[in-house]
Amino acid sequence: MSSQLFSSLTLGRQALSNRIVVSPMCQYSAHDGCASQWQLKHLATLAGSGAGLVLIEATGVLRSGRITHGCMGLYSDENELALGQVLAFCRQAGAARFGIQLNYSGRKGSSQVPWLGGQPLSAAEDAWQTLSSSDTPDGRSRACTHEDLARIKQAFVAAAQRAVRLGIDVIELHGAHGYLLHQFLSPLSNRRTDEYGGALDNRMRYPLEVFEAVRKAIPPSVTLGLRLSATDWLPDGLTLEESTVFVQALESLGCDFVDISSGGIAPAKIALEPGYQVPLASHIKAAVSIPVIAVGLILTAEQAEDILARGQADAVALGRAFLHNPHWAYQAALDLGGVAHYPVQYERVSPAKWAGGLVPASR
């Protein structure tokens, strides 16, 4: 039986060689939003990893939409030029298609990079005013005005158009992990009393407006999806049932895929175990016809294959597993009898050319 993990998948109008996605992983190593030599090294490695799709880390649509000063942005000509130079090399380094995750950090922005503590920046560290769906109790973030909402929505559009000019195949809007679009969706963070707060129809209004504006602004050939925290894992938070309704609304607006994660709006007790978020993806997949990507401690080839074989998702996305082993897909192909794509410089390790020297991980 052929491997489902190494079967082709169509996302929107983009054909992927397999169903392995590299999740967007913040590197906190950009310079005023511009991709650095670290991003060149990181993304070039992943370009030749054997994955079908590599999603570039959360990228701010405005300078004030970044999480930290080290986060990438796509809000200036300098940002666009720097990322274009990185992508030009990456496309020579491997066969993976590239997507990008566009984000506005909201109340989680203006923070120090994680290895320096991750705390809010001080005025001396070039802090900025953070915005959210509502004023935050600590007074650090203020609620978006209607003018703010229009400006941020246009920034998503402009960043998406920059991505299109760079030849990026897939755009993913970040609606998860406690960032601005999630801050509107979750009743824990959204306490507005206008048309953007209260009932689910109102809470999902702004994320849908952003999605629709981006969809109308980019060519149909460019795949557009959204990453979603399907549950807050907290009482009175966003529920899986509400998220399912939201994804159905996205589908009606021309969404090409959803990438199902969870949590991030506030600290929660989550039972972390391999595949702990896969049931969320499975629940949503049963309610829509667009492809669904599952994430969350997917570690082994056999685990990934089983998720697809059971029909729980259409693709799997891995993050830390690729940091640990950038050639995870090579080993997965060997374990499952699939075919990975190698850069020509690495073809000598293909099982077809060196089968006697390779052993499946399961043995």
Side-chain angles (χ1 to χ4, degrees):
M1 182 182 296
S2 59
S3 166
Q4 292 196 38
L5 187 62
F6 286 92
S7 64
S8 62
L9 173 66
T10 300
L11 287 185
R13 299 188 185 180
Q14 300 295 331
L16 306 182
S17 61
N18 59 50
R19 296 168 185 256
I20 303 169
V21 178
V22 179
S23 283
M25 293 176 282
C26 290
Q27 298 296 293
Y28 307 107
S29 299
H31 304 304
D32 200 9
C34 292
S36 69
Q37 292 296 302
W38 180 264
Q39 269 89 16
L40 175 63
K41 175 262 184 194
H42 173 67
L43 293 174
T45 298
L46 296 173
S49 67
L53 174 66
V54 175
L55 289 171
I56 298 167
E57 66 192 84
T59 301
V61 300
L62 287 169
R63 193 173 190 271
S64 60
R66 297 171 302 159
I67 308 163
T68 75
H69 281 305
C71 290
M72 279 182 46
L74 199 50
Y75 48 80
S76 71
D77 291 345
E78 291 77 15
N79 296 165
E80 186 177 341
L81 176 63
L83 182 55
Q85 291 171 337
V86 168
L87 287 172
F89 179 78
C90 289
R91 288 174 178 134
Q92 300 175 48
R97 289 189 176 274
F98 274 92
I100 192 168
Q101 186 183 69
L102 299 181
N103 187 35
Y104 191 94
S105 58
R107 69 184 194 182
K108 296 182 78 171
S110 193
S111 297
Q112 189 55 272
V113 297
W115 50 82
L116 294 180
Q119 296 302 305
L121 296 172
S122 67
E125 295 170 314
D126 191 18
W128 59 88
Q129 172 67 66
T130 55
L131 305 176
S132 186
S133 53
S134 303
D135 294 335
T136 55
D138 61 7
R140 182 172 173 236
S141 301
R142 67 165 177 82
C144 288
T145 64
H146 283 69
E147 290 75 17
D148 293 324
L149 296 180
R151 177 174 55 87
I152 293 168
K153 178 171 66 176
Q154 181 53 39
F156 271 99
V157 168
Q161 291 171 327
R162 289 183 185 276
V164 171
R165 287 200 294 269
L166 290 170
I168 287 173
D169 299 309
V170 177
I171 296 172
E172 178 179 271
L173 305 184
H174 202 345
H177 304 164
Y179 299 114
L180 185 68
L181 299 185
H182 185 189
Q183 289 162 30
F184 273 86
L185 285 168
S186 174
L188 296 176
S189 50
N190 186 341
R191 299 180 303 280
R192 299 176 74 100
T193 57
D194 63 3
E195 71 271 30
Y196 293 107
L200 176 63
D201 283 350
N202 286 351
R203 284 185 279 116
M204 67 185 193
R205 187 185 306 275
Y206 186 62
L208 291 176
E209 286 181 358
V210 170
F211 179 88
E212 186 172 21
V214 173
R215 180 72 280 175
K216 289 179 177 178
I218 63 175
S221 58
V222 177
T223 295
L224 180 62
L226 182 139
R227 178 169 255 199
L228 175 66
S229 278
T231 176
D232 289 332
W233 300 108
L234 290 164
D236 302 320
L238 184 69
T239 68
L240 178 57
E241 290 70 25
E242 288 179 320
S243 291
T244 302
V245 173
F246 175 60
V247 174
Q248 290 171 329
L250 284 171
E251 183 176 21
S252 73
L253 294 176
C255 186
D256 293 315
F257 71 94
V258 285
D259 185 355
I260 302 302
S261 187
S262 67
I265 204 70
K269 292 183 178 180
I270 304 172
L272 297 178
E273 59 184 11
Y276 72 101
Q277 294 179 135
V278 173
L280 305 174
S282 181
H283 184 280
I284 288 175
K285 178 172 167 56
V288 297
S289 59
I290 57 176
V292 174
I293 301 173
V295 308
L297 288 181
I298 298 171
L299 304 174
T300 69
E302 291 79 7
Q303 180 191 5
E305 184 76 9
D306 186 62
I307 290 166
L308 300 179
R310 291 173 179 268
Q312 294 176 291
D314 299 285
V316 294
L318 300 87
R320 289 174 176 85
F322 270 95
L323 292 184
H324 175 71
N325 176 13
H327 297 149
W328 185 93
Y330 295 2
Q331 184 65 52
L334 181 64
D335 293 346
L336 300 173
V339 177
H341 289 275
Y342 300 86
V344 292
Q345 296 89 341
Y346 286 7
E347 281 184 349
R348 72 192 72 177
V349 305
S350 165
K353 296 185 177 181
W354 192 37
L358 296 172
V359 179
S362 58
R363 293 183 186 174

